[in-house]
Amino acid sequence: MKEMRWRIVVSSCCLAALAWPGVAQGAPAPTIGVTGGVVVLDPGNDPRTIPGVFTWGSPVGLTGSNWPALENLAVHLVGPLTTPGITPVDREMFNVLYPLDAFPTDLQGNAVGHFRIPFDDGVVGSGGQALPSIPQPGLYKIYATYGDPLNPALRAESATFNLCPDSIAVPHEVGVLAHDWGRLRGGRDGWLKEHSPERVDPEWISVWSERPVGLYGTVAATNMNGGNQPAIISYQDYPTGHYAHDADVLMIPDDDYKWVLATANFQGADEFRGTGRIEWEWETQNSGSPYYGSYGHGNIGLPLFAMPTVGDRVYTVGHWALDNGHPDSGDRSEIHPARMIATMRKRNTVVPLSSGCLSRAAQVDVYVSGHGGGANQYTDGLEDVLDNAGSGGGRIHDFMLPDVRDVYEAFGPKPTSDVIDFLIDTLQIPGINAAPPIADYAGPSALFTDASGLPALSGTPWAVGPEERPVNDVDYDFDVPLPPAPAGAKHPLVQVTQYPWHTTHVEEAISYTRPDATTGLPTTAHVHLPYRGADNGIYARTLRFYWDTYSRPGTHFVVTMHDVKSTRAPLAVGDAQFYLGPQPLYLWTDVSGQWVFLTGLNTAGFLCPNLSTTGGLDVTAGLEAATFDVYLDSADTLRVFTLGYAQRKMDELFGWEIGRNAYDAGVDVASAAVLDTGDNQDLGGALYDVAWSSTSVVGSHSIPADPGESGPVNTVAGASGSAPGPVFTTDFTVAEIPAPPRVEAQGTTDFGSVCLGATQGRVIQIVNTGDDGLHVSGISISGGGYAAGLDPPPPYTLGHSELVKVIVRFTPTAAGQGVGALTVTSDDPCQPSLSVPLTGSVIYSVASLTGPLVYDILPVSDHAPGSTQVRNFSIATAGVCPIVVQSVGVTSGNTGDFRVLAPPAFPATIAPGGSLSVPVEFNPTTGGHRAATVSVSVAYDPTHPVPLTIRADGGPPLAPPLTP
C-alpha cells in the first residue's frame, strides 16, 4: 500500500485538528495503516460556536500528503451516544465516499479540503427549506476510514463532542450568540410582545421532539437572582396548567450535556444569573388529587424523599421543553416535567454494618413516575407539526413560505382573522403533508378543545386525554459514585429501602465498574432499571452503597425543629404595601437534603386563626417529629433551609375548582388577581448554612426568613409605619452525637528481619478514637516468638483519644515463626475483637567446619616434649547473624587418644561472618592407626539440627586390604 499521511479537522472557522497521539504540533503525521489515529476536537475561537458545543454547520477539514489518487475516504457521524430511547446511528456523511484526489493541494503539496456536518438528507419543506434528519442534539463521534473500514489500523476516531444546530445572534444582545431554540420552534413576541399567544399556549414547547432526554447535573449553589434558593417548592403555579405546585430545581449540566441549554441558559441578559443552568420542574406529589376523571390519577409528582438540594448530583430523564412564558430572560430550556430522577446526595449517610455498628454509605434516592411525570398525553398541535413525524427538530420556518413567515412574525395566528385564513391556505399544500395545520393549533388550543381535539372556546380547561405518558418506552441507566473503599475492603454492598407508593415489578440490576488502578476495587455502581416493555408502575426506593468493611462516618449531628413563629400583623385588604391575609402558611424545611412538610405535622397550627387577629404565629406542637440525622465531613456545611408561602385565593383553584368550565374558572382567576388575593404570598426563606467545624453549629438557632423571590417581602413597612419583623422565623437546635467508642491500634507492627535468638521490640498504642468511653476487657498475643508486656493489664476504660502502650517483643526460636496477632477485646460495637496482625522475618547464619585433622606417628603414651601433637580446625559462619557454639567434643572412635584443648570456653559466640579456631591434641594410647570423630553443636543455625563433625586421624595409615 502506498504511504499516506493524513489528519482530520473538525471546527468552525478556526480549524480544530483531529491530531494523532504522540505527535508534536506541526510534525509530520504518521502513516495511516501503521499507527492508526485518534481525533482530538478543539472548538477554537470560532465566534459562531458556543464553547464546548459544535454545530451542524461546523466544517470537517481534511489535510494530508501522499494521498493515493484512486482511493476513497469514508467519514462517519455516530450518535447520539447518551440519549435515552435513541439508538446511536452510524451515518456516513452525505452517504458518499470522498475521492482523495478531489481535494486541492496547498503550497507544500498537502491535500486540503472541507465539508460540513450534514443537517439533512435533501428533504425540503414547503418553503424550500431542508428538514432535519439528525436524530437529536447530543453527544457524537466522528471517525474516518480509508480502505478496509473494519481494519482498526485504517481508522481515525474523534473524542466525543456536543453537537447542536447552528448558533445565531441573540436579538437585542450585541455580540451574544446562542441556540435560539425558541425562535426555531415557533416562539416569538410579534406585535403583542410578551403577550403573544405562544407565551401562554403552549407555554411549553418541546425543544427537539416529544422523546425524553436524560442528563447528569449538579444542583447549583444559588438561584437565578443570586439568592441561595436553587431548590424550592414554588408558590407561583396557576391551576390552569398544574395539578400541584412545582418542585423547582436549578441544575448545572455536566459538560457532555451542555447541549440541553438554550438561549437564556447559555447567555441571558446581564442581570440574569441563569447562565449555564437548566431549570428542572416537576409537580410535587399530590397523592392522586386534585382531579379524577378522564385525565387519570395517582401519585403524579415528586415525593419529598427524592427532592434534591444544593450540591447534590442528579441523573434525570424527562420532557425537554422551552418555557415560552419568560420573554424577559429568553426562551429558556427546562426539563419539565421529569419522569424519573436519581438524586445522589452530596453528604454521605450511614447503614448498619452489624448490630450497633454504623458505617459510611453513599445514598441515591430514585423515583420513576408511573405517569410520565404527569404530562398531558395530548400534545399541542404546534408540537405535533414540529415533532416532524417523531424524528423531531422541526423548525417552524420550514413549514412557511417567506411571505407567510413575515406575517406570522408580526401578528401570529389568531382564532379568527384574515391572517389565519391565509396561513391555512398556504400550509395545506397538496403533497407537503403539513396537516394538522399550524393555524388550528398555534395560539389558544390545548387549553380549550372539544372531544375531537379541535379548538373550542368552552368546556373543561384541559385537553381531552389521560394526564399521563408511559414510562416503559425506555430503560433507565445511571452511575453512582461509591464511597472511598476503607482498608481491608473486598466488595461493595447495597441497602435498599422501599417506599409505600412503589408499585412497579421492575427490579434494579446493579453492577460495579471503573476499578481503581491501585486497589482494583470498583469506584462506581451502575444501576439499570429495565423498564422498556415492562409495566408503568412507580419506582420509589433509596439505595445506599457501602463496603463490607467498616468505614468511619462523618460527624453525627441531630437537627430538631422547635418552633415556627411570626409576630407580623396582617394588613387590610387593599393595602398597597403588604397583605398577608387570613390564610394558612405552607412551609417546608430542607436539612442537608432531607425535606419535610412542616405544615403537615400540625395543620391547625399554621391556619388562619393564628394570623387573622393578632398576626401572631407560634407553632411548636407536632414539630418534634421534624428531627434529622446528619453526618458531615470536614468539607461539608450544615444546611437548614425553610421556605413557603401564605395561601391566597388562587391556590384554592387547585383541586375542587379545576373541573369547572373555562369561563367560571377564568372569572375566579380574574377576581383573585383584581382583589390581590390570587397569587400566593411568597414568604421567602430562612437559611442556615455553616461549616460543620464552626463552634456556632451546636446549640439553639433562630433564623428569620429572607425576602421572597418575588420581592423584598421582609422590608415592607408595617401598617403603623414601623419596620416589620420577618414573615416567619424558625427555631431549631443542633446537637452533636458523641461517636461510639472506637478501638484502634497505632504503631509499627512489622518487626522486620530478626535473627534467631535475638529480640526486636515494638510499642503498639491502643487508642480510643471515639467520643464515648472504651472499655478494654482483655489483651492477648499469639504466634511463636511473640510476647507482650501489659502495664497496666486490662480491664480499664479509655476516654476520647486516651491510649495505653503495649510493648511487644519478638524473639524467634524457630525459622518458621514470624506470624502473630495482638488481640484487643472491648465494647467497640463495630469490632469487639480487634486483631492486629504482627509480622516478622526470621533470619540466621549457617555454620561450617574446616578439616579433617591429620596427625603424625607419635610415641605411645609418651608425654615427653614432642610426643603429642596439636592441630586446629575452624568453625566459620556465613550470614548476618551470630552463631553460638554450644560444645565441641570427641564423640566416637578412639576417644581416649584425642582431646579438645582450652581455650576456647563454651558456649562461645561467633560474630556474623567470623570464625573460631579450636585446638585438638593427639596423644596415642596404643600403637597403630588411631581415629576419632570431633562433633560441634551450634545454636541458631536451623540448617544443622544435629552436630557438625570432622574426622581426626593419627599414627600410621591403615594398611590396604590384602588381595587374594
Side-chain angles (χ1 to χ4, degrees), residues 663-959:
Y663 178 81
D664 291 339
V667 169
D668 287 338
V669 172
S671 63
V674 170
L675 296 176
D676 194 28
T677 61
D679 203 2
N680 292 323
Q681 178 67 58
D682 180 15
L683 300 181
L687 175 66
Y688 179 81
D689 197 12
V690 180
W692 75 276
S693 58
S694 171
T695 56
S696 63
V697 169
V698 175
S700 298
H701 306 277
S702 184
I703 308 299
D706 290 331
E709 286 194 320
S710 61
V713 176
N714 297 333
T715 60
V716 178
S720 63
S722 61
V727 179
F728 71 92
T729 299
T730 57
D731 292 338
F732 59 91
T733 58
V734 180
E736 181 178 348
I737 305 301
R742 176 67 180 176
V743 60
E744 291 187 6
Q746 300 174 354
T748 303
T749 58
D750 184 1
F751 288 75
S753 298
V754 182
C755 292
L756 273 174
T759 297
Q760 178 66 271
R762 295 282 188 257
V763 176
I764 299 176
Q765 298 180 148
I766 307 302
V767 187
N768 176 20
T769 59
D771 296 326
D772 289 337
L774 174 74
H775 181 70
V776 179
S777 56
I779 297 178
S780 61
I781 198 164
S782 61
Y786 288 103
L790 305 177
D791 186 21
Y796 41 74
T797 298
L798 300 177
H800 172 68
S801 295
E802 274 194 282
L803 59 86
V804 294
K805 296 180 179 180
V806 178
I807 300 176
V808 179
R809 294 181 175 85
F810 179 41
T811 306
T813 58
Q817 296 174 343
V819 177
L822 179 71
T823 301
V824 182
T825 54
S826 70
D827 61 350
D828 181 340
C830 293
Q831 48 183 6
S833 178
L834 170 64
S835 181
V836 183
L838 307 174
T839 58
S841 176
V842 180
I843 58 176
Y844 50 84
S845 292
V846 177
S848 62
L849 305 180
T850 60
L853 299 174
V854 180
Y855 297 86
D856 296 332
I857 300 173
L858 298 176
V860 175
S861 299
D862 186 352
H863 295 283
S867 62
T868 64
Q869 197 172 59
V870 177
R871 297 279 191 262
N872 292 339
F873 74 94
S874 293
I875 307 171
T877 66
V880 297
C881 296
I883 284 181
V884 175
V885 180
Q886 295 175 317
S887 65
V888 178
V890 182
T891 57
S892 63
N894 304 125
T895 58
D897 296 73
F898 302 89
R899 68 188 180 97
V900 178
L901 301 180
F906 301 105
T909 300
I910 304 177
S915 62
L916 176 66
S917 180
V918 179
V920 179
E921 181 187 52
F922 173 50
N923 186 10
T925 61
T926 186
H929 179 265
R930 311 299 290 170
T933 298
V934 180
S935 297
V936 179
S937 296
V938 295
Y940 312 135
D941 177 3
T943 62
H944 296 108
V946 297
L948 290 81
T949 61
I950 59 171
R951 182 179 173 86
D953 289 277
L958 291 175

Side-chain angles (χ1 to χ4, degrees), residues 364-634:
V364 54
D365 300 309
V366 187
Y367 183 75
V368 181
S369 168
H371 295 76
N376 197 325
Q377 197 172 62
Y378 179 88
T379 56
D380 183 86
L382 179 60
E383 286 188 294
D384 284 342
V385 173
L386 300 180
D387 198 42
N388 198 25
S391 63
R395 298 165 294 189
I396 194 166
H397 293 169
D398 293 336
F399 299 93
M400 294 181 180
L401 296 172
D403 51 351
V404 179
R405 185 186 316 158
D406 294 340
V407 174
Y408 177 85
E409 291 289 343
F411 300 100
K414 299 172 65 178
T416 57
S417 69
D418 293 337
V419 174
I420 208 72
D421 293 337
F422 180 52
L423 285 171
I424 293 173
D425 294 339
T426 303
L427 291 173
Q428 291 182 340
I429 300 175
I432 297 303
N433 192 26
I438 293 177
D440 288 352
Y441 293 91
S445 60
L447 287 182
F448 307 104
T449 60
D450 58 24
S452 66
L454 296 176
L457 299 180
S458 63
T460 61
W462 287 84
V464 175
E467 193 63 22
E468 59 182 84
R469 292 183 184 177
V471 296
N472 67 345
D473 54 341
V474 297
D475 292 335
Y476 303 96
D477 290 86
F478 56 92
D479 289 331
V480 180
L482 295 173
K490 296 181 179 178
H491 55 82
L493 303 170
V494 62
Q495 179 196 72
V496 180
T497 300
Q498 181 169 299
Y499 297 93
W501 47 87
H502 182 97
T503 62
T504 184
H505 295 288
V506 171
E507 293 291 332
E508 67 280 347
I510 299 174
S511 55
Y512 297 98
T513 61
R514 300 177 185 171
D516 180 86
T518 302
T519 65
L521 295 173
T523 60
T524 302
H526 180 80
V527 182
H528 173 64
L529 302 180
Y531 259 93
R532 185 188 295 271
D535 58 56
N536 282 300
I538 294 172
Y539 184 98
R541 287 176 174 170
T542 289
L543 310 178
R544 296 181 180 90
F545 294 94
Y546 62 107
W547 290 93
D548 57 341
T549 300
Y550 172 81
S551 179
R552 188 185 185 92
T555 303
H556 183 190
F557 295 98
V558 171
V559 179
T560 303
M561 300 296 296
H562 286 293
D563 194 10
V564 177
K565 59 181 179 290
S566 175
T567 57
R568 175 75 61 87
L571 304 181
V573 174
D575 192 295
Q577 295 176 316
F578 182 85
Y579 177 72
L580 185 60
Q583 301 293 336
L585 304 187
Y586 287 90
L587 297 179
W588 289 262
T589 290
D590 159 27
V591 179
S592 298
Q594 303 172 69
W595 288 80
V596 66
F597 182 36
L598 293 180
T599 306
L601 300 178
N602 178 8
T603 305
F606 289 87
L607 295 180
C608 54
N610 292 330
L611 297 172
S612 59
T613 56
T614 66
L617 171 73
D618 194 349
V619 180
T620 56
L623 295 187
E624 63 275 3
T627 300
F628 310 86
D629 288 293
V630 182
Y631 294 84
L632 301 180
D633 292 325
S634 58

Side-chain angles (χ1 to χ4, degrees), residues 40-315:
V40 178
L41 290 166
D42 180 5
N45 59 358
D46 181 0
R48 297 184 302 109
T49 300
I50 296 170
V53 179
F54 281 80
T55 70
W56 304 135
S58 298
V60 177
L62 196 62
T63 66
S65 61
N66 297 321
W67 294 92
L70 299 180
E71 296 293 343
N72 292 323
L73 182 71
V75 181
H76 304 251
L77 178 69
V78 181
L81 303 176
T82 54
T83 303
I86 301 180
T87 303
V89 176
D90 181 354
R91 298 165 44 86
E92 282 193 26
M93 292 186 178
F94 304 118
N95 297 317
V96 297
L97 297 175
Y98 293 88
L100 302 182
D101 59 356
F103 294 94
T105 57
D106 59 18
L107 295 177
Q108 287 74 39
N110 299 318
V112 294
H114 297 87
F115 50 89
R116 290 193 175 274
I117 299 173
F119 183 55
D120 59 77
D121 289 328
V123 181
V124 297
S126 61
Q129 300 86 355
L131 298 181
S133 61
I134 298 294
Q136 189 156 328
L139 207 61
Y140 285 79
K141 279 188 176 184
I142 288 180
Y143 71 89
T145 59
Y146 160 74
D148 181 3
L150 301 180
N151 186 346
L154 306 179
R155 171 176 169 140
E157 186 173 284
S158 74
T160 55
F161 62 95
N162 294 310
L163 186 60
C164 274
D166 291 349
S167 54
I168 61 175
V170 177
H172 315 301
E173 294 281 348
V174 178
V176 175
L177 295 159
H179 302 315
D180 196 352
W181 290 112
R183 204 167 182 84
L184 293 174
R185 300 287 286 177
R188 87 291 178 275
D189 290 343
W191 72 279
L192 292 176
K193 301 301 181 183
E194 65 268 20
H195 302 294
S196 295
E198 284 84 347
R199 294 300 183 193
V200 178
D201 176 37
E203 184 177 350
W204 297 278
I205 297 178
S206 300
V207 177
W208 186 260
S209 74
E210 289 296 304
R211 290 178 294 201
V213 163
L215 65 92
Y216 287 95
T218 303
V219 180
T222 61
N223 66 10
M224 289 183 174
N225 298 315
N228 202 314
Q229 299 183 33
I232 64 172
I233 307 296
S234 174
Y235 70 96
Q236 292 178 304
D237 299 314
Y238 293 95
T240 51
H242 293 77
Y243 273 165
H245 285 280
D246 278 338
D248 193 357
V249 182
L250 294 177
M251 297 180 182
I252 302 172
D254 286 7
D255 287 343
D256 285 348
Y257 298 89
K258 291 292 179 66
W259 49 271
V260 300
L261 298 175
T263 308
N265 306 98
F266 265 124
Q267 308 288 348
D270 292 339
E271 68 275 7
F272 185 73
R273 292 186 172 88
T275 302
R277 303 173 186 184
I278 189 165
E279 193 164 10
W280 182 97
E281 292 184 273
W282 199 351
E283 294 177 27
T284 54
Q285 189 178 81
N286 53 36
S287 299
S289 65
Y291 187 65
Y292 295 84
S294 61
Y295 311 123
H297 58 83
N299 290 321
I300 293 174
L302 178 70
L304 287 180
F305 89 90
M307 177 75 176
T309 193
V310 174
D312 286 345
R313 182 163 169 77
V314 169
Y315 177 75

Side-chain angles (χ1 to χ4, degrees), residues 5-7 19-20 22-30 110:
R5 297 185 177 91
W6 70 302
R7 63 176 178 166
W20 299 92
V23 179
Q25 186 79 17
N110 299 318

